[in-house]
Amino acid sequence: MAVAVKKPKPMTPDQFERLPSHVAIIMDGNGRWAKKHKLEIARGHRQGTESLREIIRHTDDLGIQALTIYAFSTENWRRPKEEVEALMQLILDFFASEIDELDAKNVRILILGDKSAMPPKQRDTLIAAEERTGGNTGLRLNIAINYGGRDELVHAARELALLAASGSIRPEEITKQSIADRLYTRGQPDVDLLIRTSGEMRLSNFLLWQCAYAEFLFPKVLWPDFSVQDYDEALKAYAQRDRRFGGR
Ligand code: FPP
């Protein structure tokens, strides 16, 4: 007879010695999850949005300031047409089903990435979500869509080069802060903790600048199986890390 294993309750903020201000997540493993369950890839991505919903809720409950998730990279356009279409549909479905709750919870949504190159429906949905929640003051939910970390840095460099060429600033006035101020995440804390599920250990062009001093965790679990309990484990592991920022 199967023995029911009782899941531990989600942890509360007072149970952590320290919590990150900014968590970034690469939601990897949807394809392998689908394969393992003999399902189409699109089903893996759909199941991945279920995990995402729970993780956003828990991040908000814990009072973490910012959560950035990688939903679609500039390289993901190279995937098979049906998979790209399924992901585009998921973007529409995700906002249709979540926007009311997120707005009610005072979550502020920001899209990191080039929205102008998205199909019109998706672009309008993303802009509407940003506009609707722009005045909210709770969790900063950054969703990277059509995002590339190097593109983000090139964009900042070009802006500064234009200012220097027009004589508005001298090259020696360019600082780390002036670069940070030209990234999508301007005004937000650097990433403290980066989680990539599925055991892969790569950054894949995600938040290259913002992760300069991040702690990295690579749980083996596939994203659609990543539970609130797995997240709590990662946050506990983070609390035990000794962060020195280059010092002793
Ligand atoms: C990586 O898994 C995951 C993605 C490329 C997409 C992640 C998207 C979602 C979870 C849902 C969409 C999100 C929103 C906000 C609507 P993979 O397919 O590379 O997995 P594999 O390495 O096992 O093939």
Side-chain angles (χ1 to χ4, degrees):
M1 200 174 79
V3 181
V5 182
K6 224 174 148 203
K7 272 199 212 164
K9 273 197 195 152
M11 288 174 66
T12 51
D14 52 291
Q15 289 177 284
F16 293 96
E17 216 168 284
R18 187 156 61 96
L19 277 166
S21 297
H22 189 166
V23 178
I25 306 184
I26 301 179
M27 309 180 286
D28 201 3
N30 295 346
R32 276 163 282 167
W33 183 92
K35 215 169 165 190
K36 189 172 134 192
H37 294 272
K38 299 193 168 48
L39 296 166
E40 284 184 14
I41 299 251
R43 262 298 271 119
H45 292 310
R46 187 162 289 280
Q47 198 62 33
T49 52
E50 297 300 321
S51 308
L52 177 59
R53 188 171 292 143
E54 295 305 313
I55 295 307
I56 294 172
R57 279 199 191 128
H58 195 45
T59 307
D60 186 44
D61 290 344
L62 289 172
I64 290 172
Q65 245 184 77
L67 171 67
T68 303
I69 48 138
Y70 211 174
F72 195 87
S73 74
T74 44
E75 288 71 37
N76 286 153
W77 295 110
R78 291 194 219 125
R79 294 198 173 193
K81 188 169 159 272
E82 312 77 66
E83 185 176 353
V84 171
E85 279 172 5
L87 282 164
M88 290 300 127
Q89 185 57 45
L90 271 184
I91 291 173
L92 299 181
D93 296 349
F94 175 81
F95 284 99
S97 68
E98 301 307 304
I99 192 68
D100 286 345
E101 180 181 332
L102 292 171
D103 189 27
K105 284 187 163 166
N106 201 22
V107 173
R108 180 170 173 186
I109 295 169
L110 181 72
I111 306 302
L112 317 187
D114 182 7
K115 294 187 288 279
S116 70
M118 295 294 288
K121 258 198 200 167
Q122 281 71 10
R123 188 180 57 226
D124 293 349
T125 301
L126 300 175
I127 293 171
E130 283 184 320
E131 285 179 353
R132 177 165 168 186
T133 63
N136 290 350
T137 54
L139 170 68
R140 301 287 313 245
L141 176 61
N142 306 310
I143 307 182
I145 294 182
N146 196 22
Y147 171 87
R150 287 183 169 178
D151 282 348
E152 185 181 32
L153 288 168
V154 167
H155 188 263
R158 280 191 189 144
E159 268 192 26
L160 289 165
L162 275 174
L163 288 174
S166 67
S168 307
I169 54 162
R170 281 178 284 126
E172 59 272 24
E173 283 171 344
I174 296 173
T175 60
K176 285 179 256 191
Q177 192 58 48
S178 49
I179 295 175
D181 287 345
R182 281 165 183 81
L183 304 179
Y184 292 113
T185 48
R186 69 187 74 94
Q188 299 193 43
D190 273 350
V191 173
D192 297 302
L193 169 64
L194 177 113
I195 301 171
R196 182 176 190 146
T197 55
S198 87
E200 302 290 342
M201 297 186 204
R202 286 187 299 279
L203 198 46
S204 300
N205 204 13
F206 191 42
L207 304 175
L208 299 178
W209 178 276
Q210 298 88 337
C211 281
Y213 285 100
E215 296 292 328
F216 286 47
L217 285 171
F218 301 105
K220 288 219 162 59
V221 56
L222 304 175
W223 176 252
D225 290 329
F226 190 73
S227 63
V228 164
Q229 287 70 31
D230 294 318
Y231 190 28
D232 280 337
E233 284 306 315
L235 293 168
K236 274 200 280 182
Y238 167 81
Q240 278 154 20
R241 294 260 174 114
D242 177 18
R243 301 187 79 200
R244 291 192 296 275
F245 298 94
R248 284 261 167 249

